[in-house]
Amino acid sequence: MELPYDFENIEATLQQKWESEGIFRVNESSERPFYYVLEMFPYPSGRIHMGHVRNYTIGDVVARYKRMQGFEVLHPMGWDAFGLPAENAAIKHGTHPAKWTYENIDYMRSQLKKLGFSYDWSREIATCHPSYYRWEQLFFLEMYEKGLVYRKLSRVNWCESCSTVLANEQVEDGECWRCGTKVVEKELYGWFFRITAYADELLAGCDKLSGWPEKVLTMQRNWIGRSEGAKISFRVADRQTEDLIVFTTRPDTLFGVTFVSIAPDHPMVMTLAQGTGQEQAVKAFLAKWTAVPSKERMESKEKEGVWTGAFAVHPLTGERVPIYVANFVLMEYGTGAVMAVPAHDQRDFEFAKRYGLPIKLVIQPGDRDVGATGRSPLQEAWEGPGRLVDSGDFTGMGNEEAKAAIVSRLKAKGLGEPTVAYRLRDWGISRQRYWGAPIPVIHCSRCGIVPVPREQLPVELPLDAQLDASGRSPLPNFEAFYRTVCPKCGGEARRETDTMDTFVESSWYFARYTCPDEVSMPLDKKRVAKWLPVNQYIGGVEHAILHLLYSRFFTKVLRELGWLSVDEPFENLLTQGMVLKEGAKMSKSKGNVVDPDEMIRRYGADTVRLFILFAAPPERDLEWSDHGIEGCHRFLQRLWRLVTAHAEQLREADTSSEALQQACLANKTLLSLRRKTHQTIAKVTDDIQRRFQFNTAISAVMELINEINACLGACVMDRAFLPVMREALEMVLLLLAPMVPHITERLWELMGHKDPITSFSWPQADSTLLEADEVKIAVQVNGRLRGEVTVYKTASQEEVLAAARKNDAVERHIAGKAIRKVVYVAGRLLNVVVQ
């Protein structure tokens, strides 16, 4: 008897049951193998969007699938709760960030539960709670003791709109990654994590992350940017001043230097210009470029500079070359000064052309003449390999050999040494905003910087501080917070009023999930060791050089501090694509937002999950389609009708191996259905396990349902059909259970199962049923080959003979003769002996 598909009631009832029975709670005493699947936790912005739905649906399929495979699965959820959006939203709505954040958490939690995600909610964390960030403050103190945290005055990226510093990774195309405001540079004191101390290990680790997308690893390698080269000393002519130290990756081109370039923020700029008559020109140039972020300067199409009025002395030839300030030289890379070789660097070539500076060729490729001064002028820089020319004792050497030889000569003279430089800069974590974890440091006029004693942690963010419309942090003026006593001398002191970058919280949360109830220390090492590294991590590729790189760094730091025993946080990484509508990312301003709540109300959570999984492979962008989600809903309705119409009849069907084999002997159509069932099991297993291709897995199940329906029409009156149909439908439900858990659970129950589908194992395909249904049999008459016949592999001798006699070439040699003997080698040969 058919029942109506009341998805609303089915889903609500099962979600309540799952929660009350705690079936997704982790049993850490389990003897099953452990598996940790995690999606990047959300910022509690107020409402989940379809990007969240996609990310968390993918993760939930993996979690449910692994449970069915026999793993004890950790699948937690929490909230990345500090940060600018909460602060800005609170100001806009006239409320407090804490109130706004916790209200959003409550609402978003209810949204996630309506989608049926199998989270262990007992492990929920919110990073804005003191019970979380107290341990982050402890890590800060331990890092400070190890020399991995320091404070300095530096030029930083500044967003005027957000009133805060941004890390280099948070500047996108010259704009703030959060609000889009143009970023400028300014000098501020701030706190830094020494991520550069791990640059080589972070780089080498990329080669070991075989479960990560190559795109992400390439982005991290490029961001770390390791360069082997040399530091070379250029004496400043006619000055009693320190040498100008340059960094170069091309010491082989040293004899082609015609000028030296330094960064606008190099500390020697005004010293070099002093007394040369160039002071005003240099000041004007600095006024134009020093406020421009380094990345924007580097990417500027216009190569601009100004002569300082000073000269440098070439370390090997003694030649005087002018020193320029150039907009494309970065203080953050190398030494902030470079030797300019216009013949062999395109950027220097363009600069030299603009300012009429000499271009001297010193490397000539072996196969052709690229031009030289006095002959054919260069049209562009030659940056390739070759042999040295006009390079003193090194002339004639290959340029790779010359690199080592020239550095060796410089080192012998005390004018240079081999070195390695990185693009990666230390991580500036100071933020001049309120809604963040306080930095546990005290400033004392007598004792200087004093760490907060550990027993005084956490340094709590005062919830009674009032924000104003400017968005500036109230902490510097909030006496109840900043006024304190120096732990060393007992005198008056002032708390640090900067807060930590919110990426600090997300750099270790995955470890805290393993022991969130631990109150005596941040991490229980024994419990953590059971779970880390995360077996499968899922999130957006946009986090490649922010969260993912920081998490790798933090994992290595916590290992050094003795809290972790792993080198990497995430074993495997899946980066899912965006959810688009009308070809664009969903946003309120574009009016193309699809509300998950409305879709759940209209179609149910299972339909939303099915569409999200079916519409595109997970790594590609997904185009939202109203027609597509309606089609997925119709599919689930057809599945519901198919099972409920036959459930009562199928409950008592015998699905033992013997019964199924007997049914197939009697009916080849049923054998075909069994083969299709087990081929589908193999296909879906491979698609999920190896490739995460949920769309093709769902398509395979749809094909199986089509075959079930076809068999229904052909075999509905055959009692032997019931065991085969029951097996096929049960496999459909088991295969779909991780994707559409509510409807499959209810249909499983209707088919007579007392235990929930969540307690059943993932099905295994019968290997004997995966091969082709038919085979070709060679037919002999009196030992001579007369033809070939195609039959079912399970065909009997009589059936093969009957099929053979329908072959005219065979029948000519049998017709009218007595058959004395038939020899059949199953699946290979039939020999008919006639007289």
Side-chain angles (χ1 to χ4, degrees), residues 259-316:
F259 61 99
V260 172
S261 303
I262 62 175
D265 47 340
H266 195 288
M268 290 181 66
V269 170
M270 291 312 301
T271 301
L272 292 171
Q274 188 175 2
T276 66
Q278 285 291 102
E279 293 101 322
Q280 294 307 312
V282 171
K283 285 180 180 178
F285 182 82
L286 297 185
K288 177 179 179 181
W289 287 105
T290 52
V292 178
S294 302
K295 185 177 179 183
E296 189 175 337
R297 285 197 282 112
M298 183 177 66
E299 294 174 352
S300 173
K301 293 181 180 179
E302 292 298 320
K303 306 298 183 285
E304 292 187 29
V306 63
W307 181 38
T308 62
F311 291 88
V313 178
H314 193 288
L316 294 184

Side-chain angles (χ1 to χ4, degrees), residues 22 26 31 100 109 166 230 404 440 507 586 658 719 773 820:
V26 173
E31 294 183 358
W100 188 86
R109 185 192 302 113
L166 301 174
S507 292
M586 291 186 184
E658 296 78 8
R719 294 285 302 175
D773 292 346
R820 295 180 56 194

Side-chain angles (χ1 to χ4, degrees), residues 14-27 35-43 48-65 67 72-79 105 107-125 509 513 516 534 536-539 576 609 738 741-742 758:
L14 285 171
Q15 288 162 12
Q16 185 177 11
K17 178 183 178 183
W18 293 338
E19 185 168 0
S20 64
E21 295 180 0
I23 65 171
F24 303 125
R25 277 198 171 202
V26 173
N27 176 12
Y35 191 90
Y36 187 179
V37 58
L38 182 65
E39 307 94 64
M40 293 180 186
F41 64 170
Y43 185 82
I48 64 169
H49 52 68
M50 279 299 171
H52 290 128
V53 175
R54 189 179 196 197
N55 188 358
Y56 305 145
T57 299
I58 292 169
D60 196 54
V61 173
V62 176
R64 289 175 177 272
Y65 170 71
R67 285 192 192 96
E72 188 67 33
V73 175
L74 173 58
H75 188 210
M77 176 49 68
W79 313 96
I105 286 174
Y107 187 83
M108 292 175 70
R109 185 192 302 113
S110 70
Q111 287 184 294
L112 296 179
K113 288 183 176 181
K114 285 180 182 177
L115 282 156
F117 296 140
S118 59
Y119 294 127
D120 181 352
W121 284 104
S122 70
R123 294 172 180 259
E124 181 182 10
I125 59 175
Y509 79 108
Y513 274 140
V534 175
Q536 184 63 60
Y537 198 41
I538 304 167
Q576 89 282 351
R609 292 169 61 119
H742 307 90
T758 50

Side-chain angles (χ1 to χ4, degrees), residues 109-405:
R109 185 192 302 113
S110 70
Q111 287 184 294
L112 296 179
K113 288 183 176 181
K114 285 180 182 177
L115 282 156
F117 296 140
S118 59
Y119 294 127
D120 181 352
W121 284 104
S122 70
R123 294 172 180 259
E124 181 182 10
I125 59 175
T127 60
C128 63
H129 197 279
S131 64
Y132 181 84
Y133 65 73
R134 69 171 294 187
W135 304 122
E136 189 171 300
Q137 292 173 340
L138 175 64
F139 295 149
F140 180 99
L141 297 178
E142 292 181 342
M143 291 170 70
Y144 184 76
E145 292 169 2
K146 292 276 190 179
L148 294 173
V149 179
Y150 63 94
R151 185 173 184 259
K152 70 172 183 178
L153 179 66
S154 66
R155 298 193 63 81
V156 295
N157 302 308
W158 179 262
C159 175
E160 192 62 41
S161 175
C162 295
S163 300
T164 193
V165 168
L166 301 174
N168 288 337
E169 295 89 337
Q170 294 167 330
V171 180
E172 298 177 352
D173 298 324
E175 298 178 348
C176 172
W177 75 297
R178 281 289 192 191
C179 69
T181 299
K182 187 175 179 61
V183 173
V184 298
E185 285 192 348
K186 64 187 300 186
E187 282 196 333
L188 280 179
Y189 277 102
W191 291 94
F192 291 80
F193 283 167
R194 207 179 295 275
I195 190 173
T196 53
Y198 293 83
D200 278 329
E201 188 178 355
L202 288 167
L203 190 61
C206 289
D207 296 333
K208 301 175 184 178
L209 294 172
S210 58
W212 284 41
E214 188 57 38
K215 178 181 179 181
V216 172
L217 296 175
T218 298
M219 291 170 73
Q220 290 207 1
R221 290 186 184 105
N222 291 342
W223 189 259
I224 296 167
R226 187 179 192 274
S227 301
E228 293 187 5
K231 284 183 180 179
I232 302 175
S233 297
F234 281 72
R235 183 170 58 82
V236 179
D238 306 321
R239 300 287 183 91
Q240 296 298 316
T241 185
E242 60 186 292
D243 289 354
L244 193 60
I245 309 299
V246 306
F247 172 77
T248 180
T249 60
R250 295 293 306 273
D252 52 319
T253 64
L254 180 60
F255 286 84
V257 173
T258 59
F259 61 99
V260 172
S261 303
I262 62 175
D265 47 340
H266 195 288
M268 290 181 66
V269 170
M270 291 312 301
T271 301
L272 292 171
Q274 188 175 2
T276 66
Q278 285 291 102
E279 293 101 322
Q280 294 307 312
V282 171
K283 285 180 180 178
F285 182 82
L286 297 185
K288 177 179 179 181
W289 287 105
T290 52
V292 178
S294 302
K295 185 177 179 183
E296 189 175 337
R297 285 197 282 112
M298 183 177 66
E299 294 174 352
S300 173
K301 293 181 180 179
E302 292 298 320
K303 306 298 183 285
E304 292 187 29
V306 63
W307 181 38
T308 62
F311 291 88
V313 178
H314 193 288
L316 294 184
T317 68
E319 182 182 0
R320 290 160 58 100
V321 294
I323 303 171
Y324 275 74
V325 187
N327 65 340
F328 54 82
V329 181
L330 303 183
M331 194 62 213
E332 295 85 2
Y333 182 74
T335 64
V338 298
M339 61 181 215
V341 187
H344 303 292
D345 182 281
Q346 187 61 29
R347 186 180 56 183
D348 293 344
F349 181 85
E350 293 170 10
F351 190 91
K353 283 287 190 182
R354 177 168 183 170
Y355 293 100
L357 296 166
I359 299 174
K360 182 181 179 184
L361 185 81
V362 292
I363 293 180
Q364 187 77 259
D367 59 344
R368 59 194 174 94
D369 187 345
V370 297
T373 305
R375 288 181 283 169
S376 55
L378 286 170
Q379 300 302 309
E380 60 182 8
W382 170 251
E383 297 180 333
R387 293 199 168 274
L388 271 63
V389 296
D390 296 332
S391 297
D393 297 345
F394 307 98
T395 297
M397 279 189 182
N399 72 293
E400 289 299 323
E401 178 189 1
K403 284 181 182 179

